[in-house]
Amino acid sequence: MLTRSQVKAAQARTAEILEDAGIALSAEEREQVEVASFGLDDLETEGLQLVTYVNTDRYCAKELVLFPSQTCPEHKHPPVGHDPGKMETFRCRAGKVYLYVEGEPAKSIQALIPQRSKDYYTVSHEIVLHPGQQYTILPGILHWFQAGEEGAVISEFSSTSRDEFDIFTDPNIVRVPMMKD
Amino acid sequence: MLTRSQVKAAQARTAEILEDAGIALSAEEREQVEVASFGLDDLETEGLQLVTYVNTDRYCAKELVLFPSQTCPEHKHPPVGHDPGKMETFRCRAGKVYLYVEGEPAKSIQALIPQRSKDYYTVSHEIVLHPGQQYTILPGILHWFQAGEEGAVISEFSSTSRDEFDIFTDPNIVRVPMMKD
């Protein structure tokens, strides 16, 4: 688990990155930035910061913030009840994103696989997103992503988000929902 | 109908406003900015510019751009087949937005109702959105909105968009889909 002060520091850094990208948050949103370390206790390597703007039973929108070279570990969104699984569109707003999905593997990938967890990164079809570029990930497709050296901001447009049902390749991962300080 | 050169000018102006707001578009998106004059031939007064990032059978995301004091006329999103009607969240990214929906009328509203069409603005419950503020409009609810004097950029997160089914209060309005040059 991250300490309270680690969470607060990551929240403040996230708000600053968004501000630099021209993205305004309300005071309440700044306080509620979600800091996900996936139970791995190395936020800088494997982690993700999220601001959820809206999540209804019909659609969801978030900003995803990655620190420099930070990685969101490999996972997929399974069907949940009548929902065929989350479908999501990643639109890069700032920085650079290396995104990997199922499909033809790249000969060599540009991202750096976190060594401690390297067995749990299994897909390597590479998509590189710069600001103004986007990619839609279909339900049930394994994917992971990493920021370039400058970090990244991604707007995520999607169907309903039910993070607690996400299936991670790494069995050590615990996807805790909304961590507040 | 707008002329081809009017459309091209509005597209270029829209791309510039988005760039000023720190929102990057691809070259293709810049070419395909939708310029909606609603068949009223007075774009500066009643009109809207749109960039649709994604519109699937599950969710939709757009940027809406309003020129200074430009107004999107009153309308609602009815049920279409099994869809209960479009639900949409407006998030102000830049400028100021005066949004009007059904509900307790404001004693006096801050927006300026377009005089030529004044009989077709019937709801006046007022919400004012600054950058970082948002509001969700439920299906079937009449609404209209106007930018402040500096114009506005709104990110719209929503269920599937089927603009051709929108019901406008003004019977003179024709909501033409996607106008390309």
Side-chain angles (χ1 to χ4, degrees):
Chain A
M1 284 285 286
L2 300 177
T3 65
R4 182 188 167 109
S5 71
Q6 285 175 313
V7 171
K8 284 196 86 72
Q11 288 178 320
R13 190 173 168 195
T14 299
E16 196 173 320
I17 291 167
L18 287 170
E19 193 175 338
D20 288 348
I23 296 173
L25 297 185
S26 69
E28 191 183 353
E29 288 167 340
R30 275 194 295 273
E31 295 289 321
Q32 294 186 349
V33 170
E34 182 182 354
V35 179
S37 61
F38 305 102
L40 299 177
D41 293 326
D42 184 5
L43 180 70
E44 294 288 324
T45 306
E46 291 176 289
L48 180 66
Q49 295 65 235
L50 308 92
V51 178
T52 300
Y53 291 143
V54 58
N55 186 22
T56 76
D57 61 354
R58 303 182 69 186
Y59 59 88
C60 177
K62 303 180 182 183
E63 304 292 356
L64 310 181
V65 172
L66 290 163
F67 299 147
S69 300
Q70 195 184 31
T71 303
C72 177
E74 184 177 289
H75 65 284
K76 64 181 176 181
H77 306 290
V80 177
H82 292 293
D83 185 317
K86 187 184 178 208
M87 176 175 172
E88 55 193 22
T89 300
F90 282 8
R91 185 174 179 88
C92 180
R93 298 291 197 171
K96 183 159 63 175
V97 180
Y98 300 116
L99 170 64
Y100 300 91
V101 299
E102 295 178 38
E104 182 72 30
K107 283 183 186 158
S108 72
I109 67 169
Q110 296 182 65
L112 301 166
I113 291 180
Q115 283 308 294
R116 193 177 73 165
S117 314
K118 63 182 188 313
D119 294 345
Y120 309 122
Y121 290 83
T122 69
V123 301
S124 60
H125 182 72
E126 184 175 76
I127 297 118
V128 181
L129 298 176
H130 295 94
Q133 297 180 320
Q134 64 183 42
Y135 185 85
T136 295
I137 301 163
L138 295 180
I141 296 294
L142 280 169
H143 58 284
W144 62 280
F145 50 100
Q146 183 176 96
E149 293 177 3
E150 310 293 320
V153 177
I154 301 166
S155 289
E156 181 190 271
F157 315 123
S158 74
S159 59
T160 305
S161 185
R162 298 180 176 90
D163 295 338
E164 64 276 24
F165 292 102
D166 290 353
I167 297 172
F168 284 84
T169 305
D170 182 348
N172 302 306
I173 285 180
V174 183
R175 179 70 175 99
V176 283
M178 189 64 191
M179 179 181 290
K180 295 184 190 178
D181 69 313
Chain B
M1 284 285 287
L2 299 176
T3 65
R4 181 189 168 108
S5 72
Q6 285 175 313
V7 170
K8 285 196 87 70
Q11 287 177 320
R13 189 173 168 196
T14 299
E16 196 173 319
I17 290 168
L18 288 170
E19 193 175 338
D20 288 347
I23 296 173
L25 297 185
S26 69
E28 191 182 351
E29 288 167 340
R30 275 194 295 273
E31 295 289 321
Q32 294 185 351
V33 170
E34 182 182 353
V35 178
S37 61
F38 305 102
L40 299 178
D41 293 325
D42 184 5
L43 181 69
E44 294 288 325
T45 306
E46 291 176 289
L48 180 66
Q49 295 66 234
L50 308 93
V51 178
T52 300
Y53 290 143
V54 58
N55 187 20
T56 76
D57 60 355
R58 302 183 69 187
Y59 59 87
C60 177
K62 304 180 182 182
E63 304 292 357
L64 310 182
V65 173
L66 290 163
F67 299 146
S69 300
Q70 195 184 29
T71 303
C72 177
E74 184 177 291
H75 65 285
K76 63 181 177 181
H77 306 290
V80 178
H82 292 294
D83 186 316
K86 187 184 179 208
M87 176 174 171
E88 56 194 21
T89 300
F90 282 6
R91 186 175 178 88
C92 180
R93 299 291 198 170
K96 183 160 64 175
V97 180
Y98 301 116
L99 170 64
Y100 300 91
V101 298
E102 296 178 38
E104 183 71 29
K107 283 184 186 156
S108 71
I109 68 170
Q110 296 181 66
L112 301 166
I113 292 180
Q115 282 308 296
R116 193 178 72 164
S117 313
K118 63 182 188 315
D119 294 345
Y120 309 123
Y121 290 84
T122 69
V123 300
S124 60
H125 182 73
E126 184 175 75
I127 298 119
V128 181
L129 298 175
H130 295 94
Q133 298 181 319
Q134 64 183 43
Y135 185 86
T136 296
I137 301 163
L138 296 179
I141 297 293
L142 281 169
H143 58 286
W144 62 280
F145 50 101
Q146 182 176 95
E149 291 177 3
E150 310 293 319
V153 177
I154 301 166
S155 290
E156 181 191 90
F157 316 123
S158 74
S159 59
T160 305
S161 185
R162 297 180 177 91
D163 296 338
E164 65 276 23
F165 292 102
D166 291 352
I167 297 173
F168 284 83
T169 306
D170 182 348
N172 302 305
I173 285 181
V174 183
R175 179 70 175 98
V176 283
M178 190 65 193
M179 179 180 290
K180 295 184 188 178
D181 70 311

